[in-house]
Amino acid sequence: MAGLTAMEKKLAEYKCNTNEAIQLKLVRFPEDLEDDNTTFNPEYSHQVFGDDEVAFGYKGLKILLYYIAGNLSTLFRIEYKSKVNEKFDCVEADDVESKIREIIPPGFCTNTDDFVSLLEKEVNFKPFGMLLHTYSVHNEEAGEDITYQIYKADMTCPGFREYHERLQTFLMWFIETASFIDVDDERWNYFLVFEKYNKDGATLFATVGYMTVYNYYVYPDKTRPRVSQMLILPPFQGEGHGAQLLETVHRYYMSSPTVLDITAEDPSENYVKLRDFVHVKLCQDLLCFSPGKLMQGFSQEMVMEAQQKLKINKQHTRRVYEILRLRATDMGDAEQSRSYRLDVKRRLIGPYKKKQRELAKMRRCLRPEELTNQLNQIDLNMQHEQLEESFQQLVSDYRRVLERLAQA
């Protein structure tokens, strides 16, 4: 047993956390290759290396995935201090290289010299598709405003298919349930964010992030664009690019009379907060959301105007109303605060009322012992507590949206 434990300890030394082992870079200059400050790591690697996010068989494992900042040409290399060998009975190292090759497209570099040669040609890279929006963000470190541009592209753009194959590999590291899309389906739209920067007197472009949107058909003659994937690369996160991208996409579809409204596929909490901010920013100047009308309650006028002018559906419009009404409400005033709380809770209580209707049916259908079992699962006091918790969490989220709006 002691020998087995010793072997287990020995084998444990050859386990590597793949979130730490994978090193990503967006390279603009040759010196970036040796600069640790330009390196970032994945948030997830379970879709490639399993739920444990571990690679076995190596000490000091490094999985280098370096991308040229603009066209994303890739350098892939594996380094390690030592690897298990035949001394370990019936134990083999994981085939890390094959796992990575499954998600990165062919044509990558395996040595630094070839990669640097490609970097010298980066001056020829230009964004794909049609320019939709240009904006700037002040960079404190550089002491200047940096310009960014958002483009709409599709698979007919020369070179875009290959570029997208490289771009989508980032999804595996930063979206928990990511999957690659069918790019041969023409109903996909692609929206890309680029940074403009100078190198040796020339203007170059660096990839910042992107969004994919699928255009669903709605009978009889409308479409409903659904956001599928959205990613701002880590070096650019926290600078407002997600909001710029989502607002630009909304404005693009707002101009189309055939678009009914815009939705999202399985949105994350962060995406919902971002969407709330963008929706409120777009809606706040509509007359139907004036303080006077907000205090009269949620109205069909709000639903119609938000959908027709901004392509926002009823469910999302309701959230906009609640956020803007919070801004218009003096929560220090007992009557205004009570009115707001009851208004929001009336919406939140929907699922609980559904449970009560189910309980009423049970009373008619179930035997006493079965009913007792069901009642134990439906604690009304607990429901009230959960309702209050939901309300307080919502108000907290809404306040953050309003704080961000005040700074915009």
Side-chain angles (χ1 to χ4, degrees), residues 14-24 39-58 60-65 76 78-79 94-97 99-100 103 172-174:
Y14 286 86
K15 288 183 178 180
C16 297
N17 181 322
T18 46
N19 288 340
E20 297 173 0
I22 297 168
Q23 299 186 2
L24 305 165
T39 302
F40 56 101
N41 302 97
E43 289 182 30
Y44 311 103
S45 56
H46 63 276
Q47 296 194 104
V48 179
F49 290 98
D51 292 342
D52 291 338
E53 298 182 321
V54 164
F56 171 74
Y58 306 87
L61 178 65
K62 290 182 181 180
I63 302 168
L64 308 182
L65 282 168
F76 168 44
I78 294 173
E79 298 176 354
D94 290 342
D95 190 349
V96 171
E97 182 173 339
K99 291 178 184 290
I100 297 293
I103 65 162
M172 290 295 163
W173 313 128
F174 297 104

Side-chain angles (χ1 to χ4, degrees), residues 321-378:
Y321 155 76
E322 290 177 2
I323 294 168
L324 289 176
R325 179 161 176 182
L326 176 62
R327 185 171 70 176
T329 298
D330 178 2
M331 294 299 279
D333 181 288
E335 183 54 38
Q336 286 192 38
S337 175
R338 179 177 180 276
S339 176
Y340 179 77
R341 186 174 67 254
L342 291 176
D343 190 36
V344 174
K345 283 188 174 181
R346 270 193 292 270
R347 175 180 67 82
L348 293 176
I349 207 168
Y352 300 101
K353 284 189 172 180
K354 183 181 178 184
K355 283 186 179 180
Q356 289 172 353
R357 288 195 296 271
E358 291 172 351
L359 179 58
K361 290 179 183 177
M362 290 175 192
R363 290 186 190 279
R364 295 193 296 269
C365 303
L366 297 180
R367 294 193 302 272
E369 62 272 19
E370 292 175 324
L371 182 60
T372 301
N373 185 44
Q374 291 297 324
L375 283 172
N376 289 338
Q377 298 177 32
I378 304 176

